[in-house]
Amino acid sequence: ITIIERKLIMNVTSIEQLKNIAKGQVVEILGWGEEPFICRLKRPSLLSLVGSGKIPNPLLSAAYILFNGPQNTKDVISLSERHELLTIIAKESLVEPTYQQLEEMELELTDAQLTEIWNYSQVGVNALVSFRKKQQYNENNKNKSKIQGKAK
């Protein structure tokens, strides 16, 4: 099929498909222990969050750097700014359970969970796969030193 043929056979996304997209997607992220955390996430628009004021003015510079990456050595995000931004994204991304429901259960998202939710919000499920591979590589390296120590 050529590009022209593909364009001719494209169909408009149905309202039913859009409703399903709006519900979010069930994904697996790191849990608080051995068990993964299965949740429903959606991908909010960072620009909409800025436009609606959900990202406050003092964080706009940090949001720009987080969204676009640092452009020079002066583009630095403090840990508190990063935490605040990732929390805002998590609040907007979590559909089921909601962020508020987790707070009511006194469950705080871990740094890794916040990062996974951020990655998902920007790239989708594929971001979680690559994040998981990096995480597994890091875990394997930690175990490597323990095993080498035992072998001596």
Side-chain angles (χ1 to χ4, degrees), residues 41-44 89 93 116-124 127:
L41 297 175
K42 64 180 180 178
R43 296 176 60 197
I89 296 297
S93 297
E116 281 191 294
I117 292 170
W118 162 256
N119 289 338
Y120 173 83
S121 77
Q122 296 307 298
V123 186

Side-chain angles (χ1 to χ4, degrees), residues 6-63:
R6 189 176 304 143
K7 286 184 179 181
L8 292 175
I9 58 173
M10 287 189 325
N11 294 318
V12 173
T13 305
S14 72
I15 297 297
E16 205 55 43
Q17 288 171 311
L18 292 173
K19 286 179 182 178
N20 283 332
I21 291 169
K23 290 179 185 176
Q25 187 172 11
V26 175
V27 298
E28 176 183 314
I29 63 175
L30 295 171
W32 288 269
E34 296 297 318
E35 293 296 314
F37 175 37
I38 312 291
C39 57
R40 183 177 298 275
L41 297 175
K42 64 180 180 178
R43 296 176 60 197
S45 162
L46 189 63
L47 295 176
S48 293
L49 295 176
V50 169
S52 66
K54 291 184 179 178
I55 295 180
N57 283 343
L59 287 177
L60 291 181
S61 177

Side-chain angles (χ1 to χ4, degrees), residues 19-148:
K19 286 179 182 178
N20 283 332
I21 291 169
K23 290 179 185 176
Q25 187 172 11
V26 175
V27 298
E28 176 183 314
I29 63 175
L30 295 171
W32 288 269
E34 296 297 318
E35 293 296 314
F37 175 37
I38 312 291
C39 57
R40 183 177 298 275
L41 297 175
K42 64 180 180 178
R43 296 176 60 197
S45 162
L46 189 63
L47 295 176
S48 293
L49 295 176
V50 169
S52 66
K54 291 184 179 178
I55 295 180
N57 283 343
L59 287 177
L60 291 181
S61 177
Y64 180 85
I65 294 167
L66 189 62
F67 188 69
N68 294 304
Q71 305 300 309
N72 60 55
T73 56
K74 294 180 182 179
D75 287 346
V76 178
I77 303 173
S78 73
L79 285 176
S80 63
E81 289 172 325
R82 180 176 298 276
H83 178 265
E84 221 176 316
L85 285 168
L86 294 182
T87 300
I88 290 167
I89 296 297
K91 286 178 179 179
E92 294 299 316
S93 297
L94 278 162
V95 176
E96 187 181 349
T98 65
Y99 189 89
Q100 183 179 352
Q101 288 170 325
L102 293 175
E103 282 185 316
E104 288 168 1
M105 292 183 281
E106 297 183 7
L107 272 174
E108 185 176 349
L109 291 172
T110 66
D111 298 342
Q113 290 168 326
L114 288 169
T115 301
E116 281 191 294
I117 292 170
W118 162 256
N119 289 338
Y120 173 83
S121 77
Q122 296 307 298
V123 186
V125 173
N126 293 336
L128 298 180
V129 172
S130 66
F131 181 82
R132 198 106 346 91
K133 285 180 183 175
K134 288 177 188 173
Q135 196 77 11
Q136 185 177 14
Y137 178 77
N138 289 339
E139 290 300 317
N140 288 341
N141 284 341
K142 288 178 187 172
N143 292 335
K144 184 177 175 182
S145 63
K146 289 178 186 175
I147 291 169
Q148 285 177 343

